[in-house]
């Protein structure tokens, strides 16, 4: 998952970047011609699909974000929720945050969970001039309840970091679990971390190992390092130094500093 580090309530937090949609993928020439025809006839869904084709490229179209925005705008002007969300993200990229919030709000009202999540992101980060924790949490909650995995993870992270009050901290596990069940590597790692440390829940090394393994198999470096520790110390799994070294190397190969330093201990002769 793509992330960045921001400061929330004076604390560093790792959060997903603004949702900007999923890659549309390559399409056949026949399909593309059909979409072009429908889009030019004013069909809002086809216009939205044209925007995605230009944003991400196809076999027949090179990526062209400026043209993508033009098509998204045509679709958004007709009330297409996800197109409005895309235009919101265009304004976000232009650092026009109030205009972005306007489009995200319209898209959310029309049923876009992605837009609701993006509203939460704007509210929860003070750098955008729209800081409002209560509104941000509410946006994340609605998007999370709609099944959006980014929002589920983000809501869990907010609760984990005591944003929203300590009384909600145990709910972090619930939302991490929901995101993890959709294959979200950071949520799987955070569950591993919580069960490993006993943070927000009781310690359970077997569960920690299991969740670390899920995220490690997706090449998520912090989880690979956590898995290495489990193998080294025998937490939740039988001790296995060769496996500890194997996973530590995979994390170190991604320049994960803890793993780089740990390898000096696990393999002192190779340094």
């Amino acid at each position: 998952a793509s992330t960045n580090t921001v400061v929330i309530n004076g604390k560093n937090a790792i959060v997903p970047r603004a949702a900007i949609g999923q890659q549309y993928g390559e399409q056949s020439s026949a399909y593309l011609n059909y979409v072009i025809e429908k889009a030019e006839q004013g069909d809002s869904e086809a216009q939205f699909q044209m925007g995605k084709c230009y944003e991400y490229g196809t076999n027949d179209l090179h990526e062209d974000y400026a043209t993508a925005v033009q098509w998204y705008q045509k679709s958004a002007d007709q009330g297409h929720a996800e197109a409005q969300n895309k235009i919101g993200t265009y304004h976000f990229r232009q650092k026009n945050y109030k205009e972005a919030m306007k489009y995200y709000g319209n898209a959310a009202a029309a049923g876009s969970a992605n837009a609701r999540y993006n509203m939460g992101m704007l509210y929860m980060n003070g750098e955008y001039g729209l800081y409002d924790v209560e509104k941000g949490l509410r946006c994340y909650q609605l998007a999370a309840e709609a099944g959006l995995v980014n929002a589920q993870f983000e809501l869990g992270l907010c609760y984990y970091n005591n944003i929203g009050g300590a009384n909600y901290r145990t709910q972090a596990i619930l939302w991490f679990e929901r995101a993890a069940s959709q294959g979200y590597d950071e949520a799987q790692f955070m569950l591993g971390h919580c069960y490993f440390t006993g943070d927000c829940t009781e310690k359970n090394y077997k569960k920690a190992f299991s969740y670390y393994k899920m995220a490690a198999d997706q090449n998520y470096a912090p989880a690979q390092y956590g898995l290495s520790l489990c193998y080294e110390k025998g937490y939740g799994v039988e001790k296995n130094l060769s496996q500890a070294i194997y996973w530590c190397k995979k994390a170190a190969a991604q320049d994960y500093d803890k793993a780089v330093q740990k390898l000096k201990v696990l393999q002192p002769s190779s340094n």
Side-chain angles (χ1 to χ4, degrees):
S2 184
T3 64
N4 63 347
T5 303
V6 299
V7 177
I8 300 175
N9 285 355
K11 298 180 181 179
N12 287 329
I14 306 299
V15 301
R17 293 195 178 99
I20 57 173
Q22 300 297 318
Q23 184 167 345
Y24 186 69
E26 297 178 348
Q27 298 291 349
S28 68
S29 297
Y31 177 82
L32 180 60
N33 289 335
Y34 170 78
V35 172
I36 291 173
E37 180 181 358
K38 296 289 287 184
E40 290 177 344
Q41 291 173 358
D43 184 275
S44 64
E45 176 62 25
Q47 291 169 341
F48 173 67
Q49 296 298 341
M50 281 299 298
K52 292 172 74 175
C53 287
Y54 274 108
E55 182 173 5
Y56 301 113
T58 71
N59 283 337
D60 298 310
L61 291 176
H62 293 296
E63 294 179 15
D64 184 341
Y65 187 63
T67 302
V69 169
Q70 292 176 10
W71 283 110
Y72 286 146
Q73 187 69 63
K74 290 177 184 292
S75 181
D77 288 344
Q78 296 193 66
H80 191 288
E82 293 304 329
Q84 290 173 328
N85 177 58
K86 288 287 192 177
I87 294 298
T89 295
Y90 164 74
H91 286 292
F92 174 83
R93 289 175 170 177
Q94 298 297 312
K95 299 184 179 181
N96 189 352
Y97 302 125
K98 289 185 178 179
E99 192 70 8
M101 182 65 86
K102 183 186 80 172
Y103 275 99
Y104 286 151
N106 290 339
S112 171
N114 284 322
R116 188 73 69 181
Y117 166 76
N118 285 336
M119 289 176 69
M121 179 273 300
L122 283 170
Y123 281 130
M124 295 300 286
N125 292 273
E127 64 187 285
Y128 305 135
L130 298 164
Y131 189 65
D132 190 320
V133 170
E134 185 176 350
K135 288 182 179 180
L137 285 173
R138 180 60 177 161
C139 286
Y140 285 149
Q141 181 88 34
L142 290 170
E145 290 173 350
L148 190 68
V149 66
N150 280 4
Q152 292 170 344
F153 174 71
E154 184 65 30
L155 188 60
L157 198 61
C158 286
Y159 289 143
Y160 177 83
N161 287 319
N162 277 322
I163 299 171
N167 292 338
Y168 293 93
R169 197 158 191 265
T170 56
Q171 292 189 28
I173 298 295
L174 166 68
W175 290 108
F176 287 152
E177 285 176 343
R178 293 192 181 185
S181 70
Q182 296 195 60
Y184 202 81
D185 55 1
E186 291 173 275
Q188 292 165 344
F189 165 73
M190 285 302 299
L191 281 171
H193 170 75
C194 288
Y195 282 117
F196 189 91
T197 61
D199 202 2
C200 297
T201 188
E202 294 182 359
K203 281 187 180 182
N204 187 320
Y205 290 133
K206 286 187 177 181
K207 285 187 176 181
F209 175 85
S210 177
Y211 282 114
Y212 279 152
K213 183 65 162 59
M214 291 179 192
D217 284 341
Q218 297 194 64
N219 207 35
Y220 190 60
Q224 292 170 336
Y225 174 73
L227 199 61
S228 174
L229 289 181
C230 288
Y231 276 119
E232 178 194 6
K233 303 296 185 182
Y235 292 140
V237 68
E238 187 175 342
K239 285 186 179 182
N240 188 321
L241 183 58
S242 64
Q243 281 292 301
I245 292 171
Y246 171 80
W247 287 105
C248 197
K249 281 183 174 180
K250 289 184 77 69
Q254 299 186 65
D255 296 322
Y256 189 67
D257 187 62
K258 289 182 179 180
V260 172
Q261 299 305 316
K262 189 67 174 182
L263 269 182
K264 296 177 182 178
V265 177
L266 295 176
Q267 287 189 310
S269 61
S270 65
N271 294 288

